Amino acid sequence: MPEAAGGVVVRRARTSDIRTIRDIVRPHAESRVLVSKDAVTYYEAVQQFRVGEVDGRVVGFGALHVMWEDLAEIRTLAVSPEAKGRGVGSRLLEALVQDARELGVERLFCLTFEVDFFARHGFEVIEGQAVEPEVYAELVRSYDEGVAEFLDLERVKPNTLGNTRMLRTL
């Protein structure tokens, strides 16, 4: 059931939201704040996404991607420029944190330029790896580019330059 606070309704994403999500991503990708992804990538992961609506219009979104037993990533959290400052990002992040709790995840990771925003929500800057060597060895087998970014693999460095690695324990 959608939740409303401050005029923001947060709900699970639908396939019909993907075009709008991609429209919101486009300027962020052009300025290299977000990585551009093929449409199929969004459709394949639609169940991970929540969207934020204001006046019935999708103006933001974010995803929760489980990476391991106790670890998930807040992925691709973005708000359209006209909706900034209305609490959409905060409401989306709160919903994703609740999803993580319901799944039994204990730690949330993000790779971001928005350090202050995530710090206000309990994330802390980290250095190095957030997983044990045994888990790292398992994760490195993943084909998911986001997992490669989390692991800080050399092949994804051009996409992550300037981003800050942050972690929150629930």
Side-chain angles (χ1 to χ4, degrees), residues 24-36 81 84 113-114 158-159 161 163:
I24 294 170
V25 166
R26 192 168 292 109
H28 296 291
E30 288 169 359
S31 64
R32 300 189 49 82
V33 170
L34 291 176
V35 176
S36 182
K84 288 225 177 202
F113 289 106
E114 300 294 334
N159 292 335
L161 292 177
N163 281 343

Side-chain angles (χ1 to χ4, degrees), residues 11-144:
R11 62 167 173 79
R12 294 220 172 264
R14 300 180 194 115
T15 56
S16 59
D17 296 322
I18 299 301
R19 288 183 193 276
T20 302
I21 287 171
R22 294 190 73 218
D23 288 344
I24 294 170
V25 166
R26 192 168 292 109
H28 296 291
E30 288 169 359
S31 64
R32 300 189 49 82
V33 170
L34 291 176
V35 176
S36 182
K37 297 176 185 170
D38 294 325
V40 68
T41 304
Y42 290 104
Y43 286 110
E44 289 176 338
V46 71
Q47 69 278 2
Q48 298 176 7
F49 281 84
R50 289 205 173 252
V51 295
E53 295 180 329
V54 173
D55 298 326
R57 195 170 138 257
V58 173
V59 295
F61 64 92
L64 177 73
H65 180 79
V66 175
M67 299 171 77
W68 199 250
E69 177 181 8
D70 68 335
L71 181 68
E73 179 183 7
I74 300 294
R75 193 176 269 191
T76 321
L77 181 63
V79 175
S80 62
E82 68 273 9
K84 288 225 177 202
R86 297 190 64 178
V88 177
S90 292
R91 292 283 297 121
L92 284 164
L93 184 54
E94 289 168 14
L96 295 170
V97 167
Q98 184 58 38
D99 290 348
R101 285 189 171 113
E102 289 173 9
L103 290 169
V105 171
E106 298 169 1
R107 298 178 306 149
L108 291 174
F109 168 80
C110 69
L111 188 62
T112 185
F113 289 106
E114 300 294 334
V115 175
D116 292 340
F117 171 81
F118 282 97
R120 284 193 306 273
H121 292 278
F123 285 77
E124 295 179 357
V125 175
I126 61 167
E127 298 291 332
Q129 288 302 324
V131 294
E132 300 298 321
E134 302 80 30
V135 175
Y136 182 96
E138 291 289 332
L139 289 176
V140 80
R141 297 177 185 164
S142 174
Y143 293 104
D144 186 278

